[in-house]
Short mmCIF file of all heavy atoms in Angstrom, two decimals:
data_model
loop_
_atom_site.label_atom_id
_atom_site.label_comp_id
_atom_site.label_asym_id
_atom_site.label_seq_id
_atom_site.Cartn_x
_atom_site.Cartn_y
_atom_site.Cartn_z
N VAL A 114 3.43 -7.58 15.07
CA VAL A 114 3.36 -7.41 13.68
C VAL A 114 2.22 -8.14 12.96
O VAL A 114 1.42 -7.62 12.18
CB VAL A 114 4.73 -7.73 12.93
CG1 VAL A 114 4.58 -7.66 11.42
CG2 VAL A 114 5.83 -6.68 13.37
N ILE A 115 2.11 -9.43 13.30
CA ILE A 115 1.14 -10.27 12.74
C ILE A 115 -0.32 -9.76 13.09
O ILE A 115 -1.16 -9.79 12.28
CB ILE A 115 1.41 -11.72 13.22
CG1 ILE A 115 2.72 -12.25 12.56
CG2 ILE A 115 0.18 -12.59 12.81
CD1 ILE A 115 3.18 -13.60 13.06
N LYS A 116 -0.52 -9.56 14.32
CA LYS A 116 -1.73 -9.04 14.83
C LYS A 116 -2.22 -7.68 14.17
O LYS A 116 -3.34 -7.49 13.86
CB LYS A 116 -1.80 -8.79 16.34
CG LYS A 116 -1.72 -10.15 17.05
CD LYS A 116 -1.59 -9.95 18.60
CE LYS A 116 -1.50 -11.28 19.30
NZ LYS A 116 -1.17 -11.05 20.80
N LYS A 117 -1.28 -6.79 13.92
CA LYS A 117 -1.52 -5.46 13.39
C LYS A 117 -1.65 -5.55 11.84
O LYS A 117 -2.06 -4.49 11.20
CB LYS A 117 -0.50 -4.43 13.71
CG LYS A 117 -0.44 -4.11 15.24
CD LYS A 117 0.56 -3.04 15.54
CE LYS A 117 0.29 -1.74 15.01
NZ LYS A 117 -0.91 -1.06 15.63
N ASN A 118 -1.24 -6.69 11.23
CA ASN A 118 -1.26 -6.72 9.71
C ASN A 118 -2.69 -6.51 9.19
O ASN A 118 -2.94 -5.76 8.12
CB ASN A 118 -0.67 -8.00 9.19
CG ASN A 118 -0.54 -8.03 7.71
OD1 ASN A 118 0.17 -7.12 7.21
ND2 ASN A 118 -1.17 -8.88 7.05
N GLY A 119 -3.73 -6.92 9.88
CA GLY A 119 -5.07 -6.65 9.49
C GLY A 119 -5.41 -5.22 9.45
O GLY A 119 -6.10 -4.71 8.55
N GLU A 120 -4.99 -4.48 10.48
CA GLU A 120 -5.23 -3.09 10.50
C GLU A 120 -4.48 -2.33 9.40
O GLU A 120 -5.09 -1.47 8.84
CB GLU A 120 -4.62 -2.55 11.91
CG GLU A 120 -5.29 -3.07 13.12
CD GLU A 120 -4.67 -2.52 14.35
OE1 GLU A 120 -4.04 -1.49 14.34
OE2 GLU A 120 -4.79 -3.20 15.49
N PHE A 121 -3.36 -2.80 9.10
CA PHE A 121 -2.61 -2.14 7.89
C PHE A 121 -3.29 -2.34 6.68
O PHE A 121 -3.45 -1.41 5.86
CB PHE A 121 -1.09 -2.67 7.83
CG PHE A 121 -0.29 -2.41 9.03
CD1 PHE A 121 0.54 -3.32 9.64
CD2 PHE A 121 -0.24 -1.06 9.55
CE1 PHE A 121 1.40 -3.06 10.75
CE2 PHE A 121 0.58 -0.82 10.63
CZ PHE A 121 1.30 -1.75 11.29
N LEU A 122 -3.73 -3.55 6.45
CA LEU A 122 -4.48 -3.85 5.29
C LEU A 122 -5.71 -3.05 5.13
O LEU A 122 -6.15 -2.54 4.06
CB LEU A 122 -4.77 -5.41 5.21
CG LEU A 122 -5.37 -5.97 3.89
CD1 LEU A 122 -4.51 -5.56 2.78
CD2 LEU A 122 -5.72 -7.43 4.04
N GLN A 123 -6.47 -2.83 6.39
CA GLN A 123 -7.66 -2.07 6.32
C GLN A 123 -7.45 -0.66 5.88
O GLN A 123 -8.15 -0.02 5.10
CB GLN A 123 -8.33 -2.18 7.62
CG GLN A 123 -9.70 -1.53 7.74
CD GLN A 123 -10.73 -2.31 6.96
OE1 GLN A 123 -10.93 -3.49 7.03
NE2 GLN A 123 -11.47 -1.53 5.97
N THR A 124 -6.39 0.00 6.43
CA THR A 124 -5.91 1.30 6.08
C THR A 124 -5.60 1.44 4.67
O THR A 124 -6.10 2.38 4.03
CB THR A 124 -4.67 1.66 6.91
OG1 THR A 124 -4.91 1.66 8.33
CG2 THR A 124 -4.14 3.04 6.52
N ILE A 125 -5.03 0.40 4.05
CA ILE A 125 -4.66 0.51 2.65
C ILE A 125 -5.90 0.44 1.77
O ILE A 125 -5.98 1.15 0.74
CB ILE A 125 -3.67 -0.71 2.35
CG1 ILE A 125 -2.38 -0.54 2.97
CG2 ILE A 125 -3.55 -0.98 0.79
CD1 ILE A 125 -1.40 -1.80 3.08
N THR A 126 -6.79 -0.50 2.02
CA THR A 126 -8.00 -0.61 1.26
C THR A 126 -8.95 0.62 1.49
O THR A 126 -9.57 0.97 0.48
CB THR A 126 -8.78 -1.91 1.65
OG1 THR A 126 -9.01 -2.04 3.02
CG2 THR A 126 -7.93 -3.06 1.11
N ASP A 127 -9.01 1.12 2.64
CA ASP A 127 -9.82 2.29 2.95
C ASP A 127 -9.32 3.52 2.08
O ASP A 127 -10.10 4.34 1.72
CB ASP A 127 -9.72 2.63 4.44
CG ASP A 127 -10.71 1.79 5.33
OD1 ASP A 127 -11.39 0.91 4.66
OD2 ASP A 127 -10.51 1.82 6.53
N ALA A 128 -8.01 3.46 1.79
CA ALA A 128 -7.43 4.64 0.97
C ALA A 128 -7.72 4.40 -0.50
O ALA A 128 -7.34 5.26 -1.26
CB ALA A 128 -5.93 4.66 1.31
N GLY A 129 -8.36 3.32 -0.87
CA GLY A 129 -8.72 3.10 -2.27
C GLY A 129 -7.87 2.06 -3.08
O GLY A 129 -8.12 1.90 -4.18
N ILE A 130 -6.99 1.44 -2.40
CA ILE A 130 -6.13 0.47 -3.08
C ILE A 130 -6.99 -0.72 -3.37
O ILE A 130 -7.76 -1.27 -2.52
CB ILE A 130 -4.92 0.07 -2.23
CG1 ILE A 130 -3.84 1.15 -2.23
CG2 ILE A 130 -4.27 -1.22 -2.71
CD1 ILE A 130 -3.04 1.28 -3.47
N GLU A 131 -6.90 -1.33 -4.52
CA GLU A 131 -7.61 -2.53 -4.83
C GLU A 131 -6.82 -3.81 -4.68
O GLU A 131 -5.65 -3.88 -5.18
CB GLU A 131 -8.09 -2.48 -6.30
CG GLU A 131 -8.91 -3.74 -6.75
CD GLU A 131 -9.35 -3.69 -8.16
OE1 GLU A 131 -9.49 -2.65 -8.78
OE2 GLU A 131 -9.69 -4.81 -8.73
N VAL A 132 -7.18 -4.71 -3.88
CA VAL A 132 -6.47 -6.01 -3.72
C VAL A 132 -6.78 -7.00 -4.79
O VAL A 132 -7.96 -7.27 -4.94
CB VAL A 132 -6.76 -6.56 -2.33
CG1 VAL A 132 -5.98 -7.87 -2.16
CG2 VAL A 132 -6.41 -5.58 -1.21
N VAL A 133 -5.94 -7.46 -5.57
CA VAL A 133 -6.19 -8.28 -6.72
C VAL A 133 -5.80 -9.78 -6.34
O VAL A 133 -4.97 -9.99 -5.51
CB VAL A 133 -5.38 -7.83 -7.99
CG1 VAL A 133 -5.83 -6.49 -8.42
CG2 VAL A 133 -3.80 -7.86 -7.74
N ASP A 134 -6.55 -10.68 -6.97
CA ASP A 134 -6.29 -12.07 -6.84
C ASP A 134 -4.97 -12.47 -7.42
O ASP A 134 -4.73 -12.04 -8.59
CB ASP A 134 -7.42 -12.96 -7.42
CG ASP A 134 -8.61 -12.83 -6.60
OD1 ASP A 134 -8.56 -12.68 -5.35
OD2 ASP A 134 -9.74 -12.94 -7.19
N VAL A 135 -4.02 -13.19 -6.82
CA VAL A 135 -2.75 -13.54 -7.27
C VAL A 135 -2.60 -14.99 -7.41
O VAL A 135 -3.03 -15.91 -6.57
CB VAL A 135 -1.73 -12.89 -6.33
CG1 VAL A 135 -0.23 -13.32 -6.77
CG2 VAL A 135 -1.78 -11.42 -6.19
N ASP A 136 -1.88 -15.47 -8.58
CA ASP A 136 -1.52 -16.79 -8.83
C ASP A 136 -0.24 -17.01 -8.02
O ASP A 136 0.87 -16.95 -8.72
CB ASP A 136 -1.54 -17.06 -10.26
CG ASP A 136 -1.16 -18.57 -10.48
OD1 ASP A 136 -0.87 -19.30 -9.56
OD2 ASP A 136 -1.36 -18.98 -11.74
N VAL A 137 -0.20 -17.25 -6.74
CA VAL A 137 1.06 -17.37 -5.99
C VAL A 137 1.94 -18.51 -6.39
O VAL A 137 3.16 -18.42 -6.56
CB VAL A 137 0.65 -17.57 -4.54
CG1 VAL A 137 1.94 -17.80 -3.74
CG2 VAL A 137 0.01 -16.33 -3.96
N ASP A 138 1.31 -19.60 -6.88
CA ASP A 138 2.10 -20.77 -7.34
C ASP A 138 2.85 -20.45 -8.54
O ASP A 138 4.03 -20.82 -8.68
CB ASP A 138 1.19 -21.96 -7.61
CG ASP A 138 0.61 -22.57 -6.48
OD1 ASP A 138 1.17 -22.46 -5.33
OD2 ASP A 138 -0.43 -23.24 -6.41
N ALA A 139 2.31 -19.64 -9.43
CA ALA A 139 3.02 -19.15 -10.62
C ALA A 139 4.29 -18.23 -10.31
O ALA A 139 5.30 -18.36 -10.88
CB ALA A 139 2.11 -18.41 -11.62
N PHE A 140 4.07 -17.41 -9.28
CA PHE A 140 5.16 -16.53 -8.80
C PHE A 140 6.28 -17.36 -8.13
O PHE A 140 7.47 -17.13 -8.36
CB PHE A 140 4.64 -15.45 -7.86
CG PHE A 140 4.12 -14.37 -8.58
CD1 PHE A 140 2.68 -14.10 -8.59
CD2 PHE A 140 4.94 -13.41 -9.24
CE1 PHE A 140 2.14 -12.96 -9.22
CE2 PHE A 140 4.35 -12.22 -9.80
CZ PHE A 140 2.96 -12.09 -9.94
N LYS A 141 5.74 -18.34 -7.42
CA LYS A 141 6.76 -19.35 -6.77
C LYS A 141 7.70 -20.06 -7.79
O LYS A 141 8.84 -20.11 -7.66
CB LYS A 141 6.11 -20.36 -5.90
CG LYS A 141 5.59 -19.82 -4.58
CD LYS A 141 4.92 -20.98 -3.74
CE LYS A 141 4.54 -20.58 -2.38
NZ LYS A 141 3.92 -21.60 -1.52
N ALA A 142 6.94 -20.56 -8.84
CA ALA A 142 7.72 -21.22 -9.93
C ALA A 142 8.66 -20.26 -10.63
O ALA A 142 9.84 -20.68 -10.89
CB ALA A 142 6.62 -21.79 -10.85
N ALA A 143 8.14 -19.07 -10.85
CA ALA A 143 9.12 -18.12 -11.63
C ALA A 143 10.26 -17.76 -10.80
O ALA A 143 11.41 -17.64 -11.28
CB ALA A 143 8.31 -16.95 -11.99
N ALA A 144 10.07 -17.54 -9.44
CA ALA A 144 11.16 -17.08 -8.55
C ALA A 144 12.18 -18.18 -8.24
O ALA A 144 13.33 -17.86 -7.77
CB ALA A 144 10.50 -16.57 -7.26
N GLU A 145 11.88 -19.43 -8.54
CA GLU A 145 12.86 -20.56 -8.13
C GLU A 145 14.16 -20.41 -8.73
O GLU A 145 15.17 -20.78 -8.16
CB GLU A 145 12.08 -21.84 -8.47
CG GLU A 145 12.80 -23.01 -7.97
CD GLU A 145 12.83 -23.24 -6.44
OE1 GLU A 145 12.03 -22.56 -5.78
OE2 GLU A 145 13.76 -23.91 -5.95
N SER A 146 14.23 -19.82 -10.02
CA SER A 146 15.49 -19.69 -10.73
C SER A 146 16.53 -18.86 -9.93
O SER A 146 17.65 -18.87 -10.21
CB SER A 146 15.25 -19.24 -12.08
OG SER A 146 14.75 -17.90 -12.17
N THR A 147 15.96 -18.00 -9.00
CA THR A 147 16.80 -17.05 -8.25
C THR A 147 17.83 -17.88 -7.52
O THR A 147 19.01 -17.36 -7.37
CB THR A 147 15.99 -16.24 -7.28
OG1 THR A 147 14.91 -15.62 -7.79
CG2 THR A 147 16.79 -15.29 -6.46
N TYR A 148 17.55 -18.97 -6.94
CA TYR A 148 18.49 -19.82 -6.18
C TYR A 148 19.71 -20.30 -7.10
O TYR A 148 20.78 -20.41 -6.69
CB TYR A 148 17.76 -20.96 -5.48
CG TYR A 148 16.81 -20.49 -4.46
CD1 TYR A 148 15.48 -20.33 -4.73
CD2 TYR A 148 17.33 -19.96 -3.12
CE1 TYR A 148 14.59 -19.80 -3.69
CE2 TYR A 148 16.40 -19.43 -2.25
CZ TYR A 148 15.12 -19.42 -2.55
OH TYR A 148 14.26 -18.86 -1.57
N ASP A 149 19.33 -20.57 -8.39
CA ASP A 149 20.46 -20.91 -9.26
C ASP A 149 21.24 -19.73 -9.66
O ASP A 149 22.51 -19.82 -9.61
CB ASP A 149 19.79 -21.47 -10.59
CG ASP A 149 18.91 -22.82 -10.29
OD1 ASP A 149 19.53 -23.78 -9.78
OD2 ASP A 149 17.81 -22.79 -10.55
N ASP A 150 20.61 -18.62 -9.93
CA ASP A 150 21.32 -17.46 -10.37
C ASP A 150 22.30 -16.90 -9.34
O ASP A 150 23.49 -16.38 -9.62
CB ASP A 150 20.43 -16.30 -10.65
CG ASP A 150 19.53 -16.52 -11.78
OD1 ASP A 150 19.90 -17.37 -12.65
OD2 ASP A 150 18.49 -15.88 -12.04
N LEU A 151 21.95 -17.11 -7.94
CA LEU A 151 22.84 -16.66 -6.92
C LEU A 151 23.73 -17.72 -6.35
O LEU A 151 24.48 -17.51 -5.35
CB LEU A 151 21.95 -16.16 -5.76
CG LEU A 151 21.07 -14.81 -6.10
CD1 LEU A 151 20.19 -14.49 -5.00
CD2 LEU A 151 22.07 -13.70 -6.40
N GLY A 152 23.67 -18.97 -6.88
CA GLY A 152 24.49 -20.01 -6.45
C GLY A 152 24.00 -20.60 -5.07
O GLY A 152 24.87 -21.16 -4.32
N TYR A 153 22.77 -20.59 -4.79
CA TYR A 153 22.20 -21.09 -3.72
C TYR A 153 21.50 -22.40 -3.73
O TYR A 153 20.88 -22.91 -2.89
CB TYR A 153 21.11 -20.08 -3.01
CG TYR A 153 21.74 -18.84 -2.46
CD1 TYR A 153 21.01 -17.69 -2.37
CD2 TYR A 153 23.14 -18.73 -2.03
CE1 TYR A 153 21.53 -16.46 -1.78
CE2 TYR A 153 23.69 -17.54 -1.52
CZ TYR A 153 22.74 -16.52 -1.35
OH TYR A 153 23.27 -15.30 -0.85
N ARG A 154 21.55 -23.03 -5.02
CA ARG A 154 20.79 -24.16 -5.28
C ARG A 154 21.09 -25.36 -4.27
O ARG A 154 20.08 -25.94 -3.77
CB ARG A 154 21.00 -24.63 -6.73
CG ARG A 154 20.42 -26.09 -7.04
CD ARG A 154 18.89 -26.08 -6.72
NE ARG A 154 18.15 -24.97 -7.39
CZ ARG A 154 16.88 -24.67 -7.10
NH1 ARG A 154 16.39 -25.33 -6.04
NH2 ARG A 154 16.36 -23.63 -7.59
N GLU A 155 22.28 -25.67 -3.98
CA GLU A 155 22.65 -26.72 -3.08
C GLU A 155 22.09 -26.45 -1.64
O GLU A 155 21.50 -27.33 -1.05
CB GLU A 155 24.17 -26.88 -3.02
CG GLU A 155 24.59 -28.04 -2.25
CD GLU A 155 26.06 -28.30 -2.28
OE1 GLU A 155 26.78 -27.73 -3.15
OE2 GLU A 155 26.58 -29.01 -1.33
N LEU A 156 22.22 -25.23 -1.22
CA LEU A 156 21.68 -24.90 0.12
C LEU A 156 20.24 -24.95 0.17
O LEU A 156 19.61 -25.48 1.02
CB LEU A 156 22.12 -23.41 0.45
CG LEU A 156 23.46 -23.28 0.96
CD1 LEU A 156 23.80 -21.73 1.22
CD2 LEU A 156 23.90 -24.01 2.24
N LYS A 157 19.55 -24.50 -0.98
CA LYS A 157 18.02 -24.57 -1.02
C LYS A 157 17.56 -25.94 -1.02
O LYS A 157 16.60 -26.28 -0.25
CB LYS A 157 17.57 -23.86 -2.25
CG LYS A 157 16.14 -23.88 -2.56
CD LYS A 157 15.26 -23.26 -1.48
CE LYS A 157 13.84 -22.88 -1.99
NZ LYS A 157 13.11 -24.00 -2.57
N ASP A 158 18.17 -26.80 -1.80
CA ASP A 158 17.75 -28.25 -1.73
C ASP A 158 17.99 -28.88 -0.41
O ASP A 158 17.19 -29.68 0.05
CB ASP A 158 18.55 -29.01 -2.81
CG ASP A 158 18.23 -28.60 -4.26
OD1 ASP A 158 17.14 -27.93 -4.49
OD2 ASP A 158 18.97 -28.91 -5.15
N LYS A 159 19.05 -28.48 0.30
CA LYS A 159 19.30 -29.07 1.63
C LYS A 159 18.23 -28.64 2.58
O LYS A 159 17.73 -29.44 3.37
CB LYS A 159 20.70 -28.68 2.10
CG LYS A 159 21.17 -29.36 3.35
CD LYS A 159 22.60 -28.99 3.65
CE LYS A 159 23.04 -29.79 5.01
NZ LYS A 159 24.46 -29.37 5.34
#
């Protein structure tokens, strides 16, 4: 899977999809509340 991911990405971009720059840290910070919403905070901290 890992080795073929580059091939998949090439297929996607060849088809005209534009890959955009992403602020991953901002998404991480936003998604963190999921663990509270689902009652997983204690497990996540552990």
Side-chain angles (χ1 to χ4, degrees):
V114 170
I115 293 167
K116 289 175 183 175
K117 289 181 72 68
N118 191 57
E120 296 177 23
F121 296 136
L122 187 57
Q123 189 64 54
T124 299
I125 290 165
T126 54
D127 286 348
I130 289 284
E131 180 181 339
V132 180
V133 298
D134 291 329
V135 176
D136 186 349
V137 175
D138 288 337
F140 279 104
K141 283 184 179 181
E145 187 66 19
S146 64
T147 304
Y148 294 99
D149 299 301
D150 294 340
L151 293 175
Y153 288 154
R154 173 51 55 194
E155 186 177 341
L156 282 177
K157 174 63 160 52
D158 289 346
K159 188 174 182 180

